[in-house]
C-alpha cells in the first residue's frame, strides 16, 4: 500500500471495484469512466494498481482483460484461484477456492491461469 498515489482518479477506480464483488473488464471500465478519464489513464491506473497488488487481472473467454480486487487469501504466489465467467449473463468473478500450481520436473512454473465457464448461480434457476 502507498505505492500508488491516491489521486481522485485512482480512488474513483477503487470505488468501482469495492462496490461490486465481481470482476470488471477493461472495456466496461473505459466505458464507465468516459468523460472522467481517457482510455490511457484507465489503463495506466489499472496497471499501477495491479503492480501494487490491489488488483489482479486475467483474460476472459473473449480475450478481454478483466480486473478484480485482490484479497489477502490470494496473495500466495504458489496458489492460484480460478475465475468463473457465466456464458448466460457474462458475470465474471473470482472463485473462493485455491489451486496449487503443479510442480513440473525441470520446469520453473511461475504462474497459471484457470478460467471456468458455465452458468452462474443466478442463471441456473
Ligand atoms: Zn449468469
Ligand atoms: Zn481473481
Amino acid at each position: 500500500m502507498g505505492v500508488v498515489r491516491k489521486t481522485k482518479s485512482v480512488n474513483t477506480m477503487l470505488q468501482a471495484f469495492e462496490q461490486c464483488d465481481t470482476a470488471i473488464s477493461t472495456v466496461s471500465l473505459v466505458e464507465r469512466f468516459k468523460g472522467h478519464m481517457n482510455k490511457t489513464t484507465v489503463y495506466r491506473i489499472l496497471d499501477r494498481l495491479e503492480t501494487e497488488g490491489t488488483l489482479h487481472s486475467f483474460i476472459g473467454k473473449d480475450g478481454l482483460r478483466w480486473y478484480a480486487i485482490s484479497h489477502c487469501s490470494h496473495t500466495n504466489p504458489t496458489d492460484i484461484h480460478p475465475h468463473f465467467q457465466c456464458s448466460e449473463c457474462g458475470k465474471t468473478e473470482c472463485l473462493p477456492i485455491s489451486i496449487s500450481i503443479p510442480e513440473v520436473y525441470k520446469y520453473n512454473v511461475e504462474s497459471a491461469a484457470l478460467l471456468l465457464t458455465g452458468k452462474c448461480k443466478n442463471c441456473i434457476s
Side-chain angles (χ1 to χ4, degrees):
M1 288 294 157
V3 179
V4 173
R5 207 157 47 90
K6 292 291 186 282
T7 61
K8 199 162 172 279
S9 303
V10 171
N11 281 329
T12 308
M13 186 78 79
L14 280 174
Q15 268 165 25
F17 283 98
E18 278 157 8
Q19 278 161 15
C20 89
D21 59 354
T22 62
I24 312 174
S25 72
T26 45
V27 170
S28 66
L29 284 165
V30 168
E31 185 65 25
R32 187 181 305 205
F33 297 119
K34 205 165 59 181
H36 298 280
M37 50 186 113
N38 63 34
K39 199 173 169 174
T40 314
T41 307
V42 170
Y43 281 94
R44 201 178 59 228
I45 293 173
L46 288 171
D47 203 53
R48 285 168 67 190
L49 289 172
E50 185 173 24
T51 306
E52 190 199 32
T54 308
L55 299 178
H56 63 281
S57 69
F58 57 94
I59 304 296
K61 67 176 162 68
D62 41 12
L64 291 179
R65 185 168 286 276
W66 293 75
Y67 282 86
I69 206 141
S70 298
H71 297 290
C72 305
S73 58
H74 297 160
T75 52
N76 186 344
T78 59
D79 280 343
I80 57 155
H81 61 276
H83 293 101
F84 183 87
Q85 189 160 21
C86 178
S87 50
E88 291 282 312
C89 67
K91 184 177 151 101
T92 304
E93 58 196 324
C94 301
L95 292 180
I97 55 172
S98 79
I99 294 170
S100 294
I101 297 175
E103 299 221 358
V104 186
Y105 180 60
K106 285 188 172 173
Y107 287 82
N108 181 19
V109 181
E110 290 172 339
S111 68
L114 180 61
L115 182 75
L116 305 176
T117 57
K119 285 185 179 139
C120 76
K121 55 180 185 274
N122 296 330
C123 293
I124 287 170
S125 48

